[in-house]
Amino acid sequence: MIRAMRITILALLFWLPCWAAGQADSSPAAQPSSSRAMPAQPFNVEAAVEAYLAKMPPAERAKSNAYFEGGYWLILWDFLVTAFVMWLMLQFRWSAGMRNLAERITRCRPLQTATYWVQFIIVASVLTFPMTVYEGYCREHKYGLLNQTLAPWLRDQLVMLVVAVVLGAILVVPLFGLVRLMGKSWWVWGAIVTIVFAAFLSLIAPVYISPLFNTYRSVQDTRIKDAILSMARANWIPASDVYEFDASRQSDRVSANVSGFAGTMRISLNDNLLRRCTLPEIETTMGHEMGHYVLNHAYKGLLMIGVVIVIGFAFLHWGINAALQLWGEKWGVREVGDVAVLPLAVIVLSFFFFVMTPVTNTISRTMEFEADMYGLNAARQPDGEANVDLLLGEYRKMDPGPIEEFIFYDHPSGRTRITAAMRWKEEHPETELPEEMARPMFK
Ligand SMILES: [Zn+2]
């Protein structure tokens, strides 16, 4: 049954992008000409989109396509490598051994869970390390997307491991406590604890986690800061500051984000965006981030992902019971409340989220598109928006087919975003900026 499902997913992964690529030419719907278009020179949305896409040199586009399409296969390989490593831990009773060791060290059950977790995460990280190096270091360098040499990159990996040890313990200790306490309804409580943990993670991340990897400070350029704060006031955003961080430490990618939850919500933009972009481009990017804030995407996203997590835990409940009946004794795993079950839980949940990739991507992509539209209306910079979309095309394939975009894109594709910007511009011809249109975005 699992084998059949895997083959189905393989088929989906392999065939749909190929099929969708063939369909790419028909993807952008022809635009009806607007009644408000200027009579002298009617604005043609499709031609304007093509003109922007043509600013990306073919070699740059080929590189970006290869990088992004390789990422489709990585989703599959990541799942397979994780599942294999977890299976090793069960099959050779390493998981049961780590539990036994934890039980010898302490009689206190929460401490046993935490002790097991520390061993588990270190062993899992070591066994998946070759994959981590290939994916996060070699491959990124191959495509010129990483600025770090090995030593600082390894330092970041080590910090991530320490964060995983601490945060993971904060999640698994109450999780296993509840599983033992609640009997058959454990999966409902497990899902609730996980959702609360996700909210907690969002709350602390901007203040306690992000600064471990990058330095954050108030935006220094007052010309840019004043423009952004003016937009924030106009959009009823209680921001008194905007942050910049040194993402150039890791790469040249431009990006910005709204992070945090409740009291820690903040808007940050990276130094690459400040260095590589004009004011209209920065304004449209900030308009997008403000859209996430005003449209309450942090809360809506948590709610929607929460539904996925509840379904995931129902699947986990079924998967663990089925597998333990078959192999529980062989693996030395006693029951669902036994912490040694963790590798099995990771296999089942990884499979679930692997299959749910199009769903979680669509949740994200839909909110990203909403933020794009908000940003266009807030910043009124359609040409700046199209230029930023081109820069994002350095690491995200610009022009996918519709099904490819549906399955693999957590943000809209460059073509979708530029089309939205040009359609908006058609309705607001007065916002056109010829210098933005003429600006070359690639060396
Ligand atoms: Zn966004």
Side-chain angles (χ1 to χ4, degrees), residues 31 64 96 98 113 131-132 136-137 140 148 166 230 292 301 385 387 401 407 412 438:
Q31 309 301 315
S64 149
M98 290 189 275
T113 306
M131 186 68 177
T132 310
Y137 188 80
E140 293 294 304
Q148 280 179 313
V166 175
S230 165
H292 282 312
E385 172 64 34
N387 276 344
I407 295 176

Side-chain angles (χ1 to χ4, degrees), residues 252-285:
D252 290 331
R253 299 179 185 211
V254 295
S255 87
N257 61 74
V258 179
S259 54
F261 209 70
T264 62
M265 192 93 79
R266 62 177 63 183
I267 294 176
S268 319
L269 63 167
N270 77 16
D271 57 349
N272 296 323
L273 186 75
L274 288 166
R275 178 170 54 82
R276 298 177 66 191
C277 290
T278 62
L279 186 57
E281 290 159 13
I282 293 170
E283 281 175 348
T284 194
T285 308

Side-chain angles (χ1 to χ4, degrees), residues 285-321:
T285 308
M286 287 293 104
H288 171 101
E289 301 307 332
M290 288 175 191
H292 282 312
Y293 179 90
V294 173
L295 300 169
N296 286 312
H297 282 167
Y299 306 103
K300 289 176 190 164
L302 189 68
L303 201 68
M304 286 189 277
I305 293 295
V307 172
V308 177
I309 289 175
V310 170
I311 298 169
F313 267 78
F315 182 66
L316 185 65
H317 177 55
W318 171 83
I320 286 182
N321 283 344

Side-chain angles (χ1 to χ4, degrees), residues 92-318:
F92 294 100
R93 288 182 166 238
W94 300 339
S95 184
M98 290 189 275
R99 175 208 56 215
N100 294 344
L101 180 64
E103 286 176 350
R104 279 199 296 276
I105 291 173
T106 172
R107 293 181 69 105
C108 165
R109 291 206 91 174
L111 275 180
Q112 283 174 0
T113 306
T115 311
Y116 171 89
W117 168 254
V118 175
Q119 303 172 72
F120 169 85
I121 190 69
I122 291 173
V123 171
S125 301
V126 168
L127 292 178
T128 54
F129 191 64
M131 186 68 177
T132 310
V133 173
Y134 164 71
E135 197 173 323
Y137 188 80
C138 303
R139 184 169 179 267
E140 293 294 304
H141 264 300
K142 183 182 158 200
Y143 286 97
L145 290 169
L146 191 70
N147 289 342
Q148 280 179 313
T149 52
L150 194 58
W153 183 82
L154 284 173
R155 177 258 171 212
D156 281 2
Q157 299 303 308
L158 201 62
V159 174
M160 272 182 231
L161 178 61
V162 174
V163 170
V165 166
V166 175
L167 290 178
I170 293 174
L171 174 64
V172 296
V173 170
L175 200 56
F176 274 94
L178 267 176
V179 169
R180 289 169 200 138
L181 208 65
M182 292 301 169
K184 277 194 167 154
S185 66
W186 69 265
W187 60 276
V188 181
W189 296 98
I192 292 169
V193 169
T194 306
I195 294 165
V196 170
F197 177 76
F200 165 74
L201 206 60
S202 288
L203 183 75
I204 64 160
V207 182
Y208 296 104
I209 300 175
S210 306
L212 298 172
F213 301 97
N214 293 98
T215 307
Y216 285 72
R217 60 174 187 173
S218 177
V219 169
Q220 301 292 297
D221 187 335
T222 52
R223 185 183 66 110
I224 287 165
K225 189 174 182 167
D226 290 348
I228 295 171
L229 287 178
S230 165
M231 271 176 72
R233 285 190 297 274
N235 288 279
W236 212 258
I237 294 169
S240 53
D241 211 346
V242 185
Y243 297 86
E244 65 174 272
F245 60 101
D246 58 346
S248 56
R249 213 186 131 245
Q250 286 95 1
S251 79
D252 290 331
R253 299 179 185 211
V254 295
S255 87
N257 61 74
V258 179
S259 54
F261 209 70
T264 62
M265 192 93 79
R266 62 177 63 183
I267 294 176
S268 319
L269 63 167
N270 77 16
D271 57 349
N272 296 323
L273 186 75
L274 288 166
R275 178 170 54 82
R276 298 177 66 191
C277 290
T278 62
L279 186 57
E281 290 159 13
I282 293 170
E283 281 175 348
T284 194
T285 308
M286 287 293 104
H288 171 101
E289 301 307 332
M290 288 175 191
H292 282 312
Y293 179 90
V294 173
L295 300 169
N296 286 312
H297 282 167
Y299 306 103
K300 289 176 190 164
L302 189 68
L303 201 68
M304 286 189 277
I305 293 295
V307 172
V308 177
I309 289 175
V310 170
I311 298 169
F313 267 78
F315 182 66
L316 185 65
H317 177 55
W318 171 83

